[in-house]
Amino acid sequence: MKDMLCKRNPKKPIGYRFYTLLVTIAALVPLSALAASSAKSISLSDAVTMTLAHHPDLRALVAKKRVWQGQMTQAGIAQRPQVGLMVEDAMGTGEHSALKSMQTTLTFSWLIQQQLIDGRVKAVKTQASELERQQQIKALDLSALVAKRFVDILVKQERMKLNQMAALEAQRLVAAMTKRVQAGKSSSVELHLAKAELIRRQLAVEDVEHELSASQYQLASLWGKPTERYHLNGDLLSLPAIPDVASQLAKLKRNPSVQQFATAQRIAQSKIELARIEAKPQWQLTTGLRRYESSDDFGLMVGVSIPWGDNSSKDGTIAALQAQQEVLASEQDALVQSMSAQIYVLLQEMAHSRHVIETVQTAITPTLEQAMSEANNAFDQGQLSYTQYSDVRRELLSVQAQLLEAYESLHLQHIEIQRLTGTTLTQ
């Protein structure tokens, strides 16, 4: 087949030239080799890195870190001590008239609340850890989105080449049919059919051009430069390996969505501990100095205040948080169960896509190529009508489109498995 490509002769019959074009299409040469040198080359890793560095959703989460830092600072601030001044036995009558029996007391009171402060800081820190999970989830989702758009562009670039080659061949076929009609070897009806086919192929090229432009804009918009000129450095033919089910299910714990439930349970537990601390009596110590005006003496005073009653004021809060932990545990189990099923189905779909690729490449394409070769000879000898010849040609184009779709499906299925297992996305 390679020898046939090397010996390609422009003077060969139109059918032969079409056959060699389809062989070229079957090779699916990466578009990166055809891209303009002036455009920036971007790999999947580059696209993911730029997106994670510049996407506004992640910048917002970074800003939220400062919010939590402020809340942790606030949680560590203790209630301020109180300074009091009390005047007694002044401005009365008799022995207490004027200031001669006055007693002046200066007090300093503070709560013993270090345990409470530590509990509040711990609770806020635990809640702040949820932000890290949110960042991981957003980064993983964005990485998957970048990878999917990256593959989408690679597929559309290959579809563009397929449509361009088909349009070129349709144009050549119109020229050949024109000569046949002029020589009286074909009817004008077949020429009109060939012209209509050319128009359809040209429209298909335009359709993909618009779709490709929109997809490139969407991809670059993820890192904030939608009008940037670039070409993708990626190989659609690089097939990912199909991992076994057990290894992928074992990786589910890596998914930050699963880890987020564990974090939420830890947050609930820290709130329970804080509620128990808050329910405990908060002792208040008071110390001061008292001056007796009548004798010009001083005395030291010390006092303690202990809230009266049981410590059941937070029982309802604690019960609600314990129930919330049970709910979170059940939701986590449900999520893992659902994701396990998704992974199993995706792995089966990957295997099927791989089977489709192998079948098309090794069985269907060679059969249609043989049919196309025989149709070329029959068409050039006038033994095959334009309609019959076009049917064979469309079948070969159709199977190449099917092959492209199988490649796309395999890559997208692999990307989704990586997203579910929390694995780094690469191309």
Side-chain angles (χ1 to χ4, degrees):
M1 190 175 297
K2 290 182 179 178
D3 292 340
M4 188 178 294
L5 283 172
C6 294
K7 297 177 182 178
R8 182 177 174 185
N9 188 339
K11 295 183 180 180
K12 290 285 186 179
I14 183 69
Y16 177 83
R17 295 200 300 271
F18 179 75
Y19 173 64
T20 57
L21 280 171
L22 287 179
V23 173
T24 303
I25 295 170
L28 285 175
V29 179
L31 191 73
S32 57
L34 305 177
S37 59
S38 61
K40 180 180 179 182
S41 177
I42 295 177
S43 67
L44 176 56
S45 178
D46 296 331
V48 170
T49 299
M50 290 187 293
T51 298
L52 297 184
H54 301 290
H55 198 279
D57 284 351
L58 287 175
R59 290 205 306 269
L61 289 174
V62 171
K64 283 183 180 181
K65 279 187 176 180
R66 296 194 294 271
V67 175
W68 283 109
Q69 289 170 351
Q71 292 182 356
M72 279 188 278
T73 300
Q74 185 62 41
I77 298 176
Q79 183 175 323
R80 291 182 297 176
Q82 297 180 358
V83 177
L85 178 64
M86 180 177 291
V87 176
E88 300 176 270
D89 298 333
M91 307 305 291
T93 60
E95 294 181 357
H96 300 290
S97 62
L99 303 177
K100 56 187 178 181
S101 297
M102 182 178 68
Q103 300 179 44
T104 306
T105 306
L106 180 65
T107 60
F108 184 81
S109 305
W110 70 95
L111 285 172
I112 301 177
Q113 52 182 329
Q114 189 58 49
Q115 187 181 15
L116 177 61
I117 293 172
D118 292 343
R120 287 174 179 170
V121 172
K122 180 181 178 181
V124 174
K125 284 183 177 179
T126 307
Q127 289 177 295
S129 66
E130 185 179 17
L131 184 62
E132 181 181 353
R133 296 288 172 260
Q134 293 176 3
Q135 286 179 307
Q136 291 173 347
I137 292 172
K138 178 56 66 175
L140 196 58
D141 289 345
L142 284 173
S143 298
L145 179 60
V146 171
K148 289 176 181 178
R149 290 185 178 177
F150 195 94
V151 169
D152 176 63
I153 291 175
L154 290 180
V155 170
K156 285 175 180 174
Q157 288 173 341
E158 297 299 340
R159 187 174 293 123
M160 170 71 77
K161 290 191 293 184
L162 185 66
N163 289 339
Q164 286 174 338
M165 292 177 180
L168 179 61
E169 185 55 33
Q171 185 176 7
R172 290 173 177 172
L173 194 54
V174 167
M177 292 303 301
T178 300
K179 292 180 180 180
R180 281 194 171 197
V181 170
Q182 291 173 350
K185 295 181 179 180
S186 296
S187 69
S188 59
V189 174
E190 291 183 322
L191 175 60
H192 292 317
L193 290 175
K195 289 181 178 180
E197 179 68 13
L198 172 60
I199 295 172
R200 282 197 295 268
R201 295 301 175 187
Q202 290 171 338
L203 284 176
V205 171
E206 292 180 10
D207 288 343
V208 178
E209 283 178 348
H210 293 304
E211 293 174 4
L212 186 56
S213 176
S215 296
Q216 290 172 331
Y217 187 97
Q218 286 180 318
L219 177 61
S221 67
L222 292 175
W223 58 80
K225 295 182 179 180
T227 58
E228 183 180 36
R229 285 176 52 83
Y230 64 89
H231 69 265
L232 300 187
N233 180 18
D235 185 3
L236 198 65
L237 295 183
S238 178
L239 297 180
I242 302 177
D244 62 278
V245 177
S247 66
Q248 298 307 295
L249 294 181
K251 292 179 180 179
L252 275 180
K253 60 182 180 180
R254 295 183 185 180
N255 190 298
S257 295
V258 175
Q259 295 176 346
Q260 192 174 37
F261 279 100
T263 301
Q265 291 177 62
R266 289 195 297 271
I267 291 173
Q269 184 59 41
S270 68
K271 288 181 178 180
I272 290 174
E273 294 173 2
L274 178 60
R276 287 171 176 164
I277 293 173
E278 290 175 340
K280 294 179 180 179
Q282 302 298 311
W283 290 27
Q284 179 172 312
L285 295 180
T286 302
T287 184
L289 187 65
R290 177 168 293 173
R291 183 178 187 278
Y292 298 89
E293 195 70 27
S294 59
S295 60
D296 200 22
D297 293 325
F298 291 87
L300 182 66
M301 60 168 295
V302 177
V304 60
S305 298
I306 305 173
W308 185 255
D310 58 25
N311 59 351
S312 61
S313 59
K314 294 290 185 176
D315 286 355
T317 300
I318 293 173
L321 289 169
Q322 289 173 336
Q324 183 181 0
Q325 285 182 310
E326 295 178 6
V327 171
L328 290 169
S330 297
E331 290 178 344
Q332 182 178 4
D333 291 341
L335 177 62
V336 171
Q337 183 175 329
S338 174
M339 292 171 64
S340 298
Q342 283 182 271
I343 288 176
Y344 179 83
V345 171
L346 285 167
L347 287 172
Q348 300 305 308
E349 290 177 349
M350 278 190 72
H352 176 67
S353 297
R354 190 69 174 262
H355 176 67
V356 170
I357 291 172
E358 293 173 354
T359 302
V360 170
Q361 288 179 329
T362 61
I364 301 178
T365 299
T367 300
L368 288 176
E369 286 175 348
Q370 180 62 34
M372 190 74 240
S373 178
E374 294 177 6
N376 291 333
N377 295 330
F379 182 75
D380 293 334
Q381 295 173 10
Q383 298 174 353
L384 205 65
S385 69
Y386 168 80
T387 301
Q388 293 171 317
Y389 175 76
S390 294
D391 287 343
V392 179
R393 184 180 63 170
R394 289 195 188 98
E395 281 294 322
L396 192 49
L397 282 171
S398 176
V399 80
Q400 295 300 332
Q402 183 184 6
L403 179 61
L404 201 54
E405 290 174 0
Y407 274 109
E408 180 180 20
S409 296
L410 183 62
H411 283 290
L412 293 181
Q413 290 150 4
H414 182 239
I415 290 169
E416 185 62 15
I417 288 175
Q418 289 180 298
R419 188 187 72 83
L420 289 174
T421 56
T423 308
T424 301
L425 292 159
T426 57
Q427 175 71 12

